[in-house]
Each structure stands twice: as C-alpha cells, then as structure tokens.
Amino acid sequence: MEDIHDEFVRKASKGDVESFEKIYRAYTDYVYNVAFRIVQNREDAQEVTQEVFISVYRNIKNFRFQAKLKTWIHRITVNKAINCTKKESKVKNKTVDYMDASIADNSLNPLDEKSEREDKEGMINKLLEALTPEQRACIVLRNIEGLSYKEIAQVLNIGINAVRSRLKRAREKVLALKNEVMANEL
C-alpha cells in the first residue's frame, strides 16, 4: 500500500476529487480485507467498504492529522464492520456448526495443499465467527493486520486494557472451540 502524503488529504478535504481518488485507490483493498475478516462475507465486506469511503469522503474535512490517515480509516472500517455484523446477527441469529471444520491430511499433491489451505482458512473463519464483533475486530487488527495494542486502542477508540481483555477472552474462546473441534474429530 502506497503512502498518502498529507497534501493529498488536504486537497481532498477541500473537495479535490483526484486527491480523494488517490486515497481511495491506496486504501480500498486494505479496507476490504479488514472488513472481510470482521464480517466474514464478501457482499457485506463490499458494502462496508463502500460505506467507509462514503464516510471518509464526507468527513475528511474533519481529519485533524492527530493520527495517521491509515489509523483514522481503520477506525471507520472497524466500526462500520462491527455495526454490519451486529445488524446481520440480529437478522440471521445464526449458529456455527464446528463439526464441518476438518483439516486435510498432509500430502505432496499441490491440489491437496490448496485444499488443506482452504480448510484451514475455513476453520479460521468459523472460529472468528464465534467471537463477538468487538473481539473479532481486536483479533483481526492484532493477528492479521499486525497492529500494536496501542494502535488497536486508537483504531477502536478504547483503552489498552480493554484491548488486552478482548484479546485474552477471544484467544481463550478460540482455543476452547479449537479443542472442541479436535475432540469431535477423534
């Protein structure tokens, strides 16, 4: 992802469409990936991405350069994705079936390796689905995006202790579910 210079942000905040397009092109894949990890659905991730950039476009004039643009966009993305997840869970009220998660045996066949990778991704996605949206956001930002606790706290607008607590609970839940799945496979 290319760095966006403050000058583009200033121009975009004054209505310069080309500068905003540059910001959009620089961050759209990043926003989509973060949203997808939280909402676990391509269509919802696309919708969240659109909502994020509508929000960025409307509010960039309020950006005060107290944080990095990436952190600000992160915060918007995570909040929109969490809201989408909460909305979806109210509508669907779905449960996750962990019995479907299976890990393929090791093989030298490239197709088997691809299948194993897909199975592992499926397992990760199912484990992420079991977390609350807030826990999922912390896990995604820490373990997938590689943010520090301080950066996560800034993105989510919460304290570092809340980040630690959410990550601890999320990890405990994931570990318990993973152990449950493995016990069921035996």
PDB file of all heavy atoms in Angstrom, residues 11-26:
ATOM      1  N   LYS A  11      -5.943  18.442   0.095  1.00  0.00           N
ATOM      2  CA  LYS A  11      -6.665  18.731  -1.158  1.00  0.00           C
ATOM      3  C   LYS A  11      -8.016  18.029  -1.182  1.00  0.00           C
ATOM      4  O   LYS A  11      -9.022  18.627  -1.574  1.00  0.00           O
ATOM      5  CB  LYS A  11      -5.828  18.303  -2.369  1.00  0.00           C
ATOM      6  CG  LYS A  11      -4.654  19.201  -2.653  1.00  0.00           C
ATOM      7  CD  LYS A  11      -3.895  18.703  -3.873  1.00  0.00           C
ATOM      8  CE  LYS A  11      -2.702  19.574  -4.209  1.00  0.00           C
ATOM      9  NZ  LYS A  11      -1.964  19.053  -5.379  1.00  0.00           N
ATOM     10  N   ALA A  12      -8.035  16.773  -0.757  1.00  0.00           N
ATOM     11  CA  ALA A  12      -9.289  16.018  -0.733  1.00  0.00           C
ATOM     12  C   ALA A  12     -10.290  16.667   0.222  1.00  0.00           C
ATOM     13  O   ALA A  12     -11.493  16.718  -0.063  1.00  0.00           O
ATOM     14  CB  ALA A  12      -9.038  14.564  -0.337  1.00  0.00           C
ATOM     15  N   SER A  13      -9.796  17.193   1.324  1.00  0.00           N
ATOM     16  CA  SER A  13     -10.687  17.839   2.298  1.00  0.00           C
ATOM     17  C   SER A  13     -11.302  19.128   1.746  1.00  0.00           C
ATOM     18  O   SER A  13     -12.323  19.584   2.237  1.00  0.00           O
ATOM     19  CB  SER A  13      -9.950  18.129   3.601  1.00  0.00           C
ATOM     20  OG  SER A  13      -9.008  19.151   3.433  1.00  0.00           O
ATOM     21  N   LYS A  14     -10.666  19.663   0.703  1.00  0.00           N
ATOM     22  CA  LYS A  14     -11.196  20.866   0.063  1.00  0.00           C
ATOM     23  C   LYS A  14     -12.014  20.530  -1.187  1.00  0.00           C
ATOM     24  O   LYS A  14     -12.377  21.413  -1.949  1.00  0.00           O
ATOM     25  CB  LYS A  14     -10.053  21.812  -0.292  1.00  0.00           C
ATOM     26  CG  LYS A  14      -9.369  22.364   0.947  1.00  0.00           C
ATOM     27  CD  LYS A  14      -8.203  23.250   0.586  1.00  0.00           C
ATOM     28  CE  LYS A  14      -7.522  23.739   1.859  1.00  0.00           C
ATOM     29  NZ  LYS A  14      -6.311  24.501   1.585  1.00  0.00           N
ATOM     30  N   GLY A  15     -12.261  19.224  -1.391  1.00  0.00           N
ATOM     31  CA  GLY A  15     -13.128  18.817  -2.492  1.00  0.00           C
ATOM     32  C   GLY A  15     -12.409  18.351  -3.744  1.00  0.00           C
ATOM     33  O   GLY A  15     -13.064  18.111  -4.762  1.00  0.00           O
ATOM     34  N   ASP A  16     -11.091  18.216  -3.714  1.00  0.00           N
ATOM     35  CA  ASP A  16     -10.343  17.767  -4.885  1.00  0.00           C
ATOM     36  C   ASP A  16     -10.595  16.273  -5.117  1.00  0.00           C
ATOM     37  O   ASP A  16     -10.159  15.429  -4.341  1.00  0.00           O
ATOM     38  CB  ASP A  16      -8.849  18.029  -4.698  1.00  0.00           C
ATOM     39  CG  ASP A  16      -8.051  17.660  -5.937  1.00  0.00           C
ATOM     40  OD1 ASP A  16      -8.480  18.017  -7.050  1.00  0.00           O
ATOM     41  OD2 ASP A  16      -7.005  16.986  -5.777  1.00  0.00           O
ATOM     42  N   VAL A  17     -11.333  15.961  -6.180  1.00  0.00           N
ATOM     43  CA  VAL A  17     -11.745  14.589  -6.468  1.00  0.00           C
ATOM     44  C   VAL A  17     -10.550  13.702  -6.806  1.00  0.00           C
ATOM     45  O   VAL A  17     -10.487  12.548  -6.375  1.00  0.00           O
ATOM     46  CB  VAL A  17     -12.781  14.568  -7.623  1.00  0.00           C
ATOM     47  CG1 VAL A  17     -13.153  13.147  -7.994  1.00  0.00           C
ATOM     48  CG2 VAL A  17     -14.019  15.353  -7.225  1.00  0.00           C
ATOM     49  N   GLU A  18      -9.587  14.219  -7.529  1.00  0.00           N
ATOM     50  CA  GLU A  18      -8.407  13.416  -7.886  1.00  0.00           C
ATOM     51  C   GLU A  18      -7.622  12.991  -6.647  1.00  0.00           C
ATOM     52  O   GLU A  18      -7.140  11.867  -6.574  1.00  0.00           O
ATOM     53  CB  GLU A  18      -7.514  14.189  -8.864  1.00  0.00           C
ATOM     54  CG  GLU A  18      -8.095  14.297 -10.251  1.00  0.00           C
ATOM     55  CD  GLU A  18      -7.197  15.081 -11.196  1.00  0.00           C
ATOM     56  OE1 GLU A  18      -5.974  15.181 -10.931  1.00  0.00           O
ATOM     57  OE2 GLU A  18      -7.723  15.592 -12.197  1.00  0.00           O
ATOM     58  N   SER A  19      -7.504  13.874  -5.696  1.00  0.00           N
ATOM     59  CA  SER A  19      -6.803  13.533  -4.451  1.00  0.00           C
ATOM     60  C   SER A  19      -7.578  12.472  -3.675  1.00  0.00           C
ATOM     61  O   SER A  19      -6.993  11.540  -3.116  1.00  0.00           O
ATOM     62  CB  SER A  19      -6.608  14.773  -3.582  1.00  0.00           C
ATOM     63  OG  SER A  19      -5.735  15.673  -4.217  1.00  0.00           O
ATOM     64  N   PHE A  20      -8.902  12.609  -3.644  1.00  0.00           N
ATOM     65  CA  PHE A  20      -9.706  11.597  -2.959  1.00  0.00           C
ATOM     66  C   PHE A  20      -9.581  10.248  -3.673  1.00  0.00           C
ATOM     67  O   PHE A  20      -9.497   9.208  -3.024  1.00  0.00           O
ATOM     68  CB  PHE A  20     -11.173  12.010  -2.862  1.00  0.00           C
ATOM     69  CG  PHE A  20     -11.992  10.971  -2.139  1.00  0.00           C
ATOM     70  CD1 PHE A  20     -11.945  10.883  -0.760  1.00  0.00           C
ATOM     71  CD2 PHE A  20     -12.762  10.065  -2.835  1.00  0.00           C
ATOM     72  CE1 PHE A  20     -12.666   9.913  -0.084  1.00  0.00           C
ATOM     73  CE2 PHE A  20     -13.479   9.092  -2.175  1.00  0.00           C
ATOM     74  CZ  PHE A  20     -13.435   9.018  -0.794  1.00  0.00           C
ATOM     75  N   GLU A  21      -9.577  10.259  -4.995  1.00  0.00           N
ATOM     76  CA  GLU A  21      -9.409   9.016  -5.754  1.00  0.00           C
ATOM     77  C   GLU A  21      -8.082   8.350  -5.416  1.00  0.00           C
ATOM     78  O   GLU A  21      -8.000   7.131  -5.319  1.00  0.00           O
ATOM     79  CB  GLU A  21      -9.494   9.282  -7.262  1.00  0.00           C
ATOM     80  CG  GLU A  21     -10.900   9.403  -7.783  1.00  0.00           C
ATOM     81  CD  GLU A  21     -10.938   9.544  -9.296  1.00  0.00           C
ATOM     82  OE1 GLU A  21     -10.121   8.915  -9.998  1.00  0.00           O
ATOM     83  OE2 GLU A  21     -11.803  10.292  -9.774  1.00  0.00           O
ATOM     84  N   LYS A  22      -7.054   9.151  -5.244  1.00  0.00           N
ATOM     85  CA  LYS A  22      -5.740   8.606  -4.880  1.00  0.00           C
ATOM     86  C   LYS A  22      -5.820   7.921  -3.510  1.00  0.00           C
ATOM     87  O   LYS A  22      -5.283   6.831  -3.324  1.00  0.00           O
ATOM     88  CB  LYS A  22      -4.684   9.698  -4.882  1.00  0.00           C
ATOM     89  CG  LYS A  22      -3.279   9.188  -4.654  1.00  0.00           C
ATOM     90  CD  LYS A  22      -2.263  10.180  -5.139  1.00  0.00           C
ATOM     91  CE  LYS A  22      -0.848   9.700  -4.970  1.00  0.00           C
ATOM     92  NZ  LYS A  22      -0.446   8.652  -5.876  1.00  0.00           N
ATOM     93  N   ILE A  23      -6.504   8.551  -2.572  1.00  0.00           N
ATOM     94  CA  ILE A  23      -6.700   7.950  -1.248  1.00  0.00           C
ATOM     95  C   ILE A  23      -7.513   6.658  -1.387  1.00  0.00           C
ATOM     96  O   ILE A  23      -7.155   5.633  -0.809  1.00  0.00           O
ATOM     97  CB  ILE A  23      -7.412   8.947  -0.298  1.00  0.00           C
ATOM     98  CG1 ILE A  23      -6.493  10.136  -0.005  1.00  0.00           C
ATOM     99  CG2 ILE A  23      -7.858   8.255   0.989  1.00  0.00           C
ATOM    100  CD1 ILE A  23      -7.185  11.300   0.683  1.00  0.00           C
ATOM    101  N   TYR A  24      -8.572   6.714  -2.167  1.00  0.00           N
ATOM    102  CA  TYR A  24      -9.419   5.541  -2.383  1.00  0.00           C
ATOM    103  C   TYR A  24      -8.602   4.380  -2.967  1.00  0.00           C
ATOM    104  O   TYR A  24      -8.663   3.254  -2.470  1.00  0.00           O
ATOM    105  CB  TYR A  24     -10.587   5.892  -3.312  1.00  0.00           C
ATOM    106  CG  TYR A  24     -11.419   4.689  -3.676  1.00  0.00           C
ATOM    107  CD1 TYR A  24     -12.386   4.212  -2.802  1.00  0.00           C
ATOM    108  CD2 TYR A  24     -11.235   4.022  -4.885  1.00  0.00           C
ATOM    109  CE1 TYR A  24     -13.148   3.101  -3.127  1.00  0.00           C
ATOM    110  CE2 TYR A  24     -11.984   2.917  -5.216  1.00  0.00           C
ATOM    111  CZ  TYR A  24     -12.939   2.459  -4.333  1.00  0.00           C
ATOM    112  OH  TYR A  24     -13.683   1.345  -4.649  1.00  0.00           O
ATOM    113  N   ARG A  25      -7.845   4.662  -4.016  1.00  0.00           N
ATOM    114  CA  ARG A  25      -7.039   3.601  -4.658  1.00  0.00           C
ATOM    115  C   ARG A  25      -5.996   3.031  -3.695  1.00  0.00           C
ATOM    116  O   ARG A  25      -5.710   1.847  -3.711  1.00  0.00           O
ATOM    117  CB  ARG A  25      -6.368   4.128  -5.927  1.00  0.00           C
ATOM    118  CG  ARG A  25      -7.316   4.112  -7.127  1.00  0.00           C
ATOM    119  CD  ARG A  25      -6.614   4.483  -8.418  1.00  0.00           C
ATOM    120  NE  ARG A  25      -7.050   5.837  -8.751  1.00  0.00           N
ATOM    121  CZ  ARG A  25      -6.256   6.892  -8.842  1.00  0.00           C
ATOM    122  NH1 ARG A  25      -4.967   6.788  -8.688  1.00  0.00           N
ATOM    123  NH2 ARG A  25      -6.748   8.071  -9.125  1.00  0.00           N
ATOM    124  N   ALA A  26      -5.436   3.890  -2.858  1.00  0.00           N
ATOM    125  CA  ALA A  26      -4.392   3.444  -1.929  1.00  0.00           C
ATOM    126  C   ALA A  26      -4.947   2.549  -0.825  1.00  0.00           C
ATOM    127  O   ALA A  26      -4.263   1.641  -0.358  1.00  0.00           O
ATOM    128  CB  ALA A  26      -3.685   4.651  -1.318  1.00  0.00           C
TER     129      ALA A  26
END
